[in-house]
Amino acid sequence: MTTTITHAGGVITPTSMPGWDARADLRSIVHTIMGRSDPDITRRPTGMRRGTLTLVFESGAAAYAARSILAVTQPLDLGNPSVGQVTMRFIVAGNELGEVIEDAGQWVLSVPFQEIAS
């Protein structure tokens, strides 16, 4: 099935999404206590996913059009009916939005993301 990114003005449909590098911060804190063998623990919920999506497009025009939409700060919805685990609401956030790169006739875009609450 097809991966889609839905935004306020429509839908981005890459040819494929071969890269999905997602991580979540573990926020619990372990406190070492002098004179005790067991630590105290401050339990906190795990953070939401963040990472990088790699999107492939069949043309440079489609890749650059997607890049211009993704460069606008807005909530986006990622979905793929075949892989429900990647479904999320996110914003493009991080250090930098990748430049479109042509690789063997495919146009590749690297997108840093931060998952947000629905």
Side-chain angles (χ1 to χ4, degrees):
M1 289 298 240
T2 304
T3 297
T4 59
I5 298 172
T6 306
H7 57 93
V11 177
I12 298 169
T13 307
T15 304
S16 67
M17 186 179 75
W20 165 263
D21 175 26
R23 303 178 191 291
D25 290 331
L26 299 173
R27 296 180 177 164
S28 293
I29 302 170
V30 177
H31 306 275
T32 302
I33 308 299
M34 298 295 285
R36 277 183 34 198
S37 60
D38 62 317
D40 280 349
I41 308 294
T42 301
R43 295 174 189 192
R44 296 181 177 170
T46 300
M48 299 186 90
R49 296 176 288 187
R50 62 183 166 72
T52 305
L53 305 173
T54 302
L55 306 175
V56 175
F57 297 88
E58 61 185 45
S59 72
Y64 278 103
R67 188 179 189 282
S68 67
I69 292 165
L70 294 168
V72 176
T73 303
Q74 61 182 311
L76 303 156
D77 292 299
L78 177 70
N80 183 320
S82 298
V83 188
Q85 296 84 348
V86 302
T87 299
M88 70 173 167
R89 176 159 269 209
F90 72 100
I91 61 167
V92 175
N95 293 333
E96 45 190 47
L97 178 59
E99 188 57 64
V100 174
I101 300 168
E102 192 274 331
D103 181 26
Q106 295 183 323
W107 297 84
V108 181
L109 177 60
S110 176
V111 181
F113 71 87
Q114 171 63 58
E115 184 176 24
I116 59 175
S118 297

